[in-house]
């Protein structure tokens, strides 16, 4: 129950942050903020280098020296995130993109990369050690909540701008790191902490073993993130920043539909890793089917609300200037409900050794976005981007569910009967 409240609080905090930014900055300026946040999310995905998913595998039984390997994961995050910061700032200094004379906003944004990458790893460790509520808050809720608390007095003073908003996010990221690191360390057992072999040579050996899966996970995770946010980047290139703001607002409202699947992902991922690596496929199937049924049923109510009351809801929460968001909300809400029918396919693909399949699938969808999606967005604008996004998300969910069924004998989607017997294959012993 605490995990449910924590995940709901995280989504609510993200919604409040989007409302606050939209109200204070307006459609165009908030579009700049949301675009910077999307870029920051993509950079953080690279900076984590798949370590969060690897941590779940290690905690689920893929390693006999948990503490040592988790330390190596943290070291990789630090090295990768520093490299991402350096490369990002180098690109900014070379290209000098137009920011209306304010280059500092990019440096402020880059300063949040290191803490955000580490926070996700530490939150994953907490969840893997059954500290579900605290881990979920660290990963998903703390930064948004602290950003709201920091930005609210700034807004009341009337000094809000894109750079001050991003500064609040960066400061919130470092504050979250300060409390999440010691909590994650305490979550480890005494044996884990004394695992030893924390040398650079040990890190090299660890990387040589995990390099391939980490690279696949990172590539797939980045593609999944980019595909989720591709309309934002595309609209910023061929549309306007106001369109970017409208699309992100729609995503935040649709977050109420994805709330239940997101909560499930928080507490199911450690269990998925344990069941798969111990060959408990039948138990895994029954758990996923039950979760998919619950998610689909509970997501139906917010979907109906958004479909039939989108316009008054949008204008009441965000203001009359955001009324064009109503139509995309309806399309994206229906797509989100259909996706929930497929179950927790993203977590299953990563944790059940199908990272390569996920990568190929997402490369195909990225190619579709770069061709068909681009044409649809150019032709139909915001509604075109929302419609193609919905269709692409449904396609990915369906193909992922089919791949799990045929390659790992794992059933993730809604069924109305328990699985009584399933071949125990595909798991690492």
């Amino acid at each position: 129950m605490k995990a449910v409240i924590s995940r709901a609080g995280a989504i609510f905090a993200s919604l409040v942050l989007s409302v606050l930014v939209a109200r204070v900055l307006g459609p165009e300026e908030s579009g700049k903020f949301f675009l910077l946040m999307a870029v920051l999310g993509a950079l953080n995905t690279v900076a984590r280098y798949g370590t969060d998913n690897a941590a779940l595998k290690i905690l689920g039984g893929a390693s006999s020296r948990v503490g040592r390997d988790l330390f190596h994961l943290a070291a990789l995050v630090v090295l990768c995130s520093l490299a991402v910061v350096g490369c990002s700032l180098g690109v900014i200094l070379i290209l000098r993109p137009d920011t209306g004379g304010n280059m500092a906003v990019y440096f402020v944004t880059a300063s949040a990369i290191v803490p955000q990458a580490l926070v996700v790893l530490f939150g994953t460790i907490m969840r893997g050690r059954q500290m579900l509520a605290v881990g979920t808050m660290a990963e998903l809720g703390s930064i948004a909540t602290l950003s709201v608390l920091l930005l609210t007095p700034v807004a009341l003073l009337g000094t809000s701008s894109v750079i001050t908003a991003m500064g609040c996010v960066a400061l919130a990221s470092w504050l979250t790191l300060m409390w999440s690191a010691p909590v994650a360390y305490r979550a480890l057992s005494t044996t884990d902490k004394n695992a030893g072999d924390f040398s650079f040579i040990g890190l090299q050996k660890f990387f040589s073993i995990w390099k391939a899966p980490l690279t696949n996970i990172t590539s797939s995770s980045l593609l999944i993130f980019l595909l989720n946010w591709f309309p934002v980047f595309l609209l910023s290139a061929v549309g306007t920043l106001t369109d970017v703001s409208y699309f992100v607002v729609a995503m935040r409202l649709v977050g109420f539909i994805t709330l239940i699947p997101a909560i499930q992902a928080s507490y199911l991922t450690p269990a998925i890793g344990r069941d798969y690596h111990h060959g408990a496929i039948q138990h895994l199937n029954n758990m996923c089917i039950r979760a998919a049924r619950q998610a689909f049923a509970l997501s139906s109510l917010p979907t109906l609300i958004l479909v039939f009351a989108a316009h008054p809801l949008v204008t009441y929460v965000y203001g009359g200037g955001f009324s064009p968001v109503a139509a995309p909300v309806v399309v994206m809400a229906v797509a989100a409900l259909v996706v929930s029918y497929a179950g927790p396919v993203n977590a299953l693909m990563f944790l059940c050794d199908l990272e390569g399949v996920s990568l190929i699938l997402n490369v195909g969808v990225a190619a579709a976005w770069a061709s068909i999606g681009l044409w649809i967005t150019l032709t139909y604008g915001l509604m075109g981007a929302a419609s193609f996004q919905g269709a692409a998300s449904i396609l990915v969910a369906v193909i992922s569910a089919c791949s799990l069924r045929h390659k790992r004998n794992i059933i993730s989607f809604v069924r109305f009967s328990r699985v009584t017997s399933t071949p125990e294959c595909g798991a690492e012993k």
Side-chain angles (χ1 to χ4, degrees):
M1 185 61 185
K2 290 181 180 179
V4 173
I5 295 174
S6 180
R7 187 65 179 94
I11 290 181
F12 181 73
S14 297
L15 176 66
V16 172
L17 179 60
S18 71
V19 172
L20 180 61
V21 169
R23 287 277 189 177
V24 171
L25 299 181
E28 183 174 355
E29 288 298 298
S30 62
K32 295 179 183 178
F33 174 85
F34 294 137
L35 180 59
L36 286 171
M37 289 292 286
V39 172
L40 178 59
L43 294 176
N44 277 323
T45 303
V46 177
R48 292 198 303 271
Y49 195 56
T51 52
D52 48 333
N53 285 284
L56 289 173
K57 287 190 172 186
I58 289 170
L59 291 166
S63 171
S64 60
R65 303 186 70 179
V66 175
R68 177 202 61 184
D69 288 345
L70 291 177
F71 177 86
H72 289 151
L73 288 179
L76 282 177
V77 171
V78 173
L79 293 174
C80 290
S81 58
L82 288 175
V84 170
V85 171
C87 292
S88 302
L89 295 180
V91 170
I92 291 169
L93 291 173
I94 293 172
L95 298 181
R96 293 190 170 273
D98 182 21
T99 59
N102 192 357
M103 287 283 291
V105 68
Y106 290 119
F107 291 87
V108 172
T109 302
S111 69
I113 293 174
V114 174
Q116 287 193 9
L118 284 169
V119 161
V120 173
L121 175 62
F122 294 149
T124 303
I125 292 173
M126 295 177 212
R127 288 193 294 114
R129 286 304 192 201
Q130 304 305 310
M131 299 175 63
L132 301 178
V134 181
T136 300
M137 179 54 65
E139 282 187 74
L140 304 168
S142 178
I143 293 175
T145 301
L146 291 173
S147 296
V148 170
L149 295 176
L150 293 169
L151 185 58
T152 298
V154 175
L156 292 175
L157 292 173
T159 57
S160 299
S161 64
V162 176
I163 189 170
T164 57
M166 289 305 307
C168 290
V169 171
L171 179 56
S173 303
W174 283 102
L175 291 174
T176 299
L177 176 62
M178 290 174 64
W179 73 257
S180 63
V183 174
Y185 182 75
R186 287 198 299 270
L188 300 177
S189 67
T190 303
T191 302
D192 292 336
K193 295 173 184 176
N194 296 328
D197 194 16
F198 297 147
S199 64
F200 183 73
I201 295 176
L203 176 60
Q204 287 180 309
K205 292 179 180 178
F206 174 82
F207 181 70
S208 65
I209 295 172
W210 283 86
K211 178 172 62 176
L214 285 174
T215 301
N216 284 336
I217 291 172
T218 302
S219 301
S220 296
S221 298
L222 181 60
L223 276 172
I224 289 172
F225 180 89
L226 291 178
L227 290 174
N228 191 42
W229 288 88
F230 202 96
V232 170
F233 298 117
L234 197 58
L235 287 169
S236 68
V238 303
T240 65
L241 288 173
T242 299
D243 289 333
V244 170
S245 182
Y246 288 161
F247 190 89
V248 174
V249 165
M251 288 179 65
R252 291 290 176 249
L253 288 173
V254 173
F256 281 105
I257 298 173
T258 59
L259 172 62
I260 300 302
I263 290 172
Q264 289 178 336
S266 297
Y267 67 79
L268 282 181
T269 44
I272 289 172
R274 287 193 298 271
D275 281 357
Y276 178 73
H277 285 287
H278 289 87
I281 304 301
Q282 180 175 325
H283 182 268
L284 175 59
N285 284 341
N286 287 323
M287 179 177 65
C288 291
I289 292 169
R290 182 171 60 253
R293 283 201 303 260
Q294 293 171 347
F296 184 76
L298 294 174
S299 299
S300 298
L301 179 58
T303 301
L304 290 174
I305 293 174
L306 287 179
V307 167
F308 292 103
H311 188 272
L313 184 62
V314 168
T315 54
Y316 177 77
V317 175
Y318 287 92
F322 286 84
S323 58
V325 174
V329 163
V330 173
V331 173
M332 295 168 66
V334 173
L337 180 64
V338 175
V339 169
S340 71
Y341 191 92
V345 290
N346 286 338
L348 286 165
M349 293 290 280
F350 283 139
L351 296 172
C352 300
D353 298 324
L354 290 177
E355 303 98 330
V357 177
S358 178
L359 176 60
I360 294 172
L361 173 60
N362 286 299
V363 166
V365 177
W369 256 115
S371 51
I372 302 172
L374 175 61
W375 176 80
I376 291 176
T377 303
L378 284 170
T379 306
Y380 300 101
L382 178 63
M383 270 302 294
S387 300
F388 192 83
Q389 173 78 344
S393 63
I394 292 173
L395 181 63
V396 169
V398 170
I399 295 178
S400 297
C402 292
S403 298
L404 287 162
R405 181 69 180 94
H406 293 292
K407 292 181 179 294
R408 294 291 183 267
N409 294 301
I410 294 173
I411 303 172
S412 64
F413 47 88
V414 173
R415 284 179 53 162
F416 296 98
S417 61
R418 291 174 60 86
V419 178
T420 56
S421 63
T422 304
E424 305 292 333
C425 64
E428 295 178 0
K429 301 297 183 182

